[in-house]
């Protein structure tokens, strides 16, 4: 749809809406406008404090207050506390397990650091090590050829 056609349709729609609005306004000032208006619309009853939300809120509040007032204090030895303690692992065992875990974690960390920082030994590798044996050691001027007597060729 072209832009001009869409604009034309929009203007027509707006014009029809404004005409009906004007007719309604003039109709309200008619002679019948002063008569008593009767509204036949049925409105839903407003929700007060009798809704399930407020009922549950009040019940939960009463339960919380009752539990706080009559619940045993933490220092009392209650049957439920003794029953739970019977099935719990003692703290000494958990301390030993945690200490062992700490030592193993430290050892794993040390191994990781050792492997991360590891370097190969510094070594100069010649591409053709047999070149070291090719020259004659005789008739060389002093200081021109380095002393290679302590150099050992390794394979690998």
């Amino acid at each position: 749809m072209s832009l001009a056609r869409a604009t034309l349709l929009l203007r027509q729609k707006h014009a029809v809406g404004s005409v009906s609005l004007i007719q309604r306004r003039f109709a309200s000032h008619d002679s019948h406008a002063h008569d008593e208006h009767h509204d036949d619309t049925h409105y839903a009853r407003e929700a007060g404090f009798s809704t399930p939300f407020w009922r549950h809120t009040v019940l939960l509040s009463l339960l919380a207050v009752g539990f706080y007032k009559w619940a045993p204090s933490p220092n009392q030895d209650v049957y439920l506390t003794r029953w739970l303690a019977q099935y719990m692992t003692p703290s000494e065992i958990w301390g030993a397990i945690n200490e062992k875990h700490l030592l193993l974690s430290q050892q794993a960390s040390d191994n990781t650091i050792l492997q991360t920082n590891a370097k190969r030994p510094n070594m100069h590798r010649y591409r053709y090590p047999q070149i070291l044996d090719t020259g004659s050691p005789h008739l060389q001027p002093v200081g021109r050829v380095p002393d290679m007597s302590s150099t050992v060729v390794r394979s690998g």
Side-chain angles (χ1 to χ4, degrees):
M1 178 185 320
S2 70
L3 186 61
R5 183 175 169 101
T7 307
L8 182 64
L9 287 174
L10 186 62
R11 284 184 183 169
Q12 287 176 353
K13 186 184 253 187
H14 183 22
V16 168
S18 63
V19 169
S20 63
L21 179 67
I22 293 171
Q23 288 174 349
R24 277 187 270 138
R25 284 189 181 170
F26 284 135
S28 66
H29 292 290
D30 206 10
S31 61
H32 300 291
H34 299 292
D35 292 343
E36 190 174 322
H37 290 286
H38 293 288
D39 191 9
D40 293 336
T41 308
H42 295 287
Y43 295 104
R45 187 172 159 225
E46 288 187 13
F49 289 105
S50 62
T51 59
F53 170 77
W54 290 109
R55 182 178 58 232
H56 294 316
T57 303
V58 168
L59 288 174
L60 286 175
S61 301
L62 291 174
L63 283 172
V65 168
F67 179 77
Y68 182 76
K69 185 173 182 176
W70 288 293
S73 63
N75 59 1
Q76 289 180 345
D77 190 24
V78 183
Y79 176 73
L80 180 63
T81 306
R82 285 180 287 168
W83 182 72
L84 289 175
Q86 180 181 0
Y87 292 104
M88 288 178 57
T89 307
S91 61
E92 295 83 23
I93 293 175
W94 281 113
I97 291 171
N98 289 336
E99 187 175 348
K100 182 178 178 183
H101 181 264
L102 176 67
L103 293 175
L104 291 174
S105 297
Q106 181 65 37
Q107 184 181 4
S109 174
D110 291 342
N111 290 341
T112 303
I113 290 172
L114 178 68
Q115 289 178 358
T116 305
N117 294 337
K119 294 181 182 176
R120 301 186 93 186
N122 291 332
M123 191 180 302
H124 183 72
R125 297 188 183 266
Y126 287 104
R127 187 167 189 170
Y128 302 108
Q130 64 271 16
I131 199 81
L132 296 173
D133 298 331
T134 58
S136 172
H138 305 292
L139 298 173
Q140 297 292 331
V142 177
R144 186 116 250 240
V145 177
D147 183 21
M148 304 284 283
S149 61
S150 64
T151 306
V152 178
V153 177
R154 288 193 230 168
S155 62

